[in-house]
Amino acid sequence: MIRDPLRGGAHPSGSGAMTIESYLRTRYGYTLDLSGSPAADPLAHFLFERGAGHCEYFAAAMTVMLRTQGIPARYVNGFLPGEYNDVGDDYIVRASDAHSWGEVYFPDYGWIPFDPTPPADEKPKGWLGRLLFYYDWFELTWSEWVINYDLSRQATLAQNLQRASR
């Protein structure tokens, strides 16, 4: 059972959510390859035949399983935090960072996220990854200071030059 952060005691929703989350993470595989003809019931096909899918299948399965147990749950779409780029001192959030997960409602506390999707294979870093950080920084800087160079940007540049010259 998970501890209800406000009441200090155990909350049954947490136990059910953690059990389902763990079950899906350990017994099903992650894949983006969903070739073949689409099934009439994609969620049933994922759970009982294919055994592998992407985050949308995992989050939908967990949400439905929790709801059948009377546990208030919802399906959420959003983005993972992305990758920190120390060259530009920013985060790179790509379309590939799109993600789905579930949330469980705890009375007097709110919605708590649960992610039943197993981790995907890590992307190799190396010199090519480092080069991509520089490319991303250049692309962002070009867009900010050349493509979108307007009166506001001109004023900001002038203020920065004035401060630097003092």
Side-chain angles (χ1 to χ4, degrees), residues 157-166:
L157 181 60
Q159 288 171 353
N160 289 342
L161 287 173
Q162 183 182 21
R163 271 189 231 121
S165 67
R166 289 184 186 167

Side-chain angles (χ1 to χ4, degrees), residues 14-66:
S15 177
M18 288 172 52
T19 300
I20 292 171
E21 178 186 51
S22 175
Y23 180 83
L24 291 169
R25 274 180 166 252
T26 58
R27 304 239 168 109
Y28 291 82
Y30 180 82
T31 184
L32 293 174
D33 179 20
L34 300 176
S35 56
S37 58
D41 185 343
L43 190 53
H45 182 71
F46 164 71
L47 288 170
F48 305 119
E49 294 176 39
R50 185 171 187 99
H54 49 73
C55 61
E56 292 172 324
Y57 288 96
F58 286 91
M62 181 171 183
T63 302
V64 169
M65 289 174 170
L66 288 168

Side-chain angles (χ1 to χ4, degrees), residues 25-133:
R25 274 180 166 252
T26 58
R27 304 239 168 109
Y28 291 82
Y30 180 82
T31 184
L32 293 174
D33 179 20
L34 300 176
S35 56
S37 58
D41 185 343
L43 190 53
H45 182 71
F46 164 71
L47 288 170
F48 305 119
E49 294 176 39
R50 185 171 187 99
H54 49 73
C55 61
E56 292 172 324
Y57 288 96
F58 286 91
M62 181 171 183
T63 302
V64 169
M65 289 174 170
L66 288 168
R67 287 180 179 178
T68 63
Q69 299 302 304
I71 298 172
R74 66 184 180 187
Y75 173 93
V76 182
N77 280 333
F79 286 86
L80 294 171
E83 184 176 17
Y84 179 70
N85 181 354
D86 62 338
V87 175
D89 192 29
D90 59 5
Y91 282 86
I92 305 166
V93 180
R94 297 180 174 90
S96 60
D97 292 316
H99 191 57
S100 298
W101 61 93
E103 290 184 345
V104 176
Y105 185 74
F106 289 83
D108 301 326
Y109 190 74
W111 293 97
I112 305 295
F114 287 84
D115 190 353
T117 306
D121 294 333
E122 285 291 316
K123 299 173 193 166
K125 301 288 182 205
W127 67 270
L128 184 58
R130 190 78 188 144
L131 184 62
L132 289 174
F133 280 166

